[in-house]
Amino acid sequence: MAKKRKVFLHVGPSGPGDIIEAALVHHRDALVELGIDAPAKSADETFLAAVEVLREHKAWGFTRKEVEGQWATLCRRAWKGSQTVVLSLPLLAAATRPEIDLLLDGLAGLQVHVVLTPRPDEDVDAMVDRWGAAVRKPERLHVVRLEDPTPKRVWKAFGKVAGFGTASLGLAAVPEPVSIRPLTSLDEARREIERLARRNQSLERWRDESDRKRKKLKKRLGSVA
């Protein structure tokens, strides 16, 4: 029997591990040389896929149509590859069991490993129970908890779990991720607002591009008719 390809799915929680989502996108081409497939072409794709799975499109200001099919697209790319797959959807740590099952359905037939990256003092017992039950085997659930979780250390730890080295995959040019976490000062709140504004601008560009593609396709179909 052929050995199943592995998928290492990072699901958060939001915080130190947010860098993983951005780093996988930034180093997507380089990862291929290390035997790793990273299906996501942008952080917006994984963000929208997470929103779709959680059914939170309205809360984020999207229509259902704008997020529909995002997760399926990532899954199709994962299936097309031939190497170990890595994905990061850091909004999904707190997903319910039905939402987790829906997510994993798209990866049926692949050997899914789930990676959690909590803060040193964060209680993740409930998350471990839900995700552990979903992947069924304890060796397929990885809890990466570091005493000093800097982006570089978290990125390195994730690479070790997934089977690739990060020495050649630096973070200097990786865009700073947007995190959703408790804020402890006014300055921190201001920085968070700035990060969210950047995410909104990015999503607006994605939506504008999608609109252009839809209009172009509609025009093409009209000329054919």
Side-chain angles (χ1 to χ4, degrees), residues 14-142:
S14 183
D18 289 352
I19 191 65
I20 296 170
E21 179 185 30
L24 290 178
V25 170
H26 182 78
H27 292 296
R28 186 170 184 254
D29 293 335
L31 283 165
V32 173
E33 302 300 319
L34 299 176
I36 301 293
D37 288 331
K41 297 179 180 178
S42 72
D44 285 346
E45 286 189 337
T46 49
F47 171 72
L48 292 169
V51 170
E52 178 192 15
V53 171
L54 295 173
R55 297 183 178 90
E56 291 184 348
H57 53 277
K58 288 183 180 179
W60 287 94
F62 294 100
T63 66
R64 181 179 176 182
K65 211 168 185 181
E66 287 174 317
V67 302
E68 198 168 25
Q70 291 297 314
W71 176 236
T73 295
L74 292 177
C75 290
R76 280 195 297 271
R77 290 182 196 155
W79 273 104
K80 282 181 180 179
S82 58
Q83 307 184 114
T84 295
V85 176
V86 287
L87 277 163
S88 177
L89 289 82
L91 285 178
L92 292 180
T96 64
R97 183 56 194 275
E99 290 164 348
I100 293 172
D101 290 341
L102 175 65
L103 181 82
L104 297 184
D105 276 349
L107 300 171
L110 300 174
Q111 186 186 115
V112 179
H113 291 246
V114 170
V115 184
L116 294 171
T117 53
R119 302 180 192 90
D121 59 348
E122 190 168 8
D123 183 0
V124 292
D125 287 350
M127 295 178 194
V128 168
D129 288 344
R130 286 194 305 275
W131 286 98
V135 296
R136 299 181 182 178
K137 294 186 178 182
E139 64 270 21
R140 295 183 188 173
L141 180 66
H142 310 267

Side-chain angles (χ1 to χ4, degrees), residues 155-176:
W155 174 230
K156 181 179 180 180
F158 176 76
K160 186 176 181 180
V161 170
F164 65 89
T166 59
S168 62
L169 307 175
L171 299 179
V174 175
E176 184 181 358

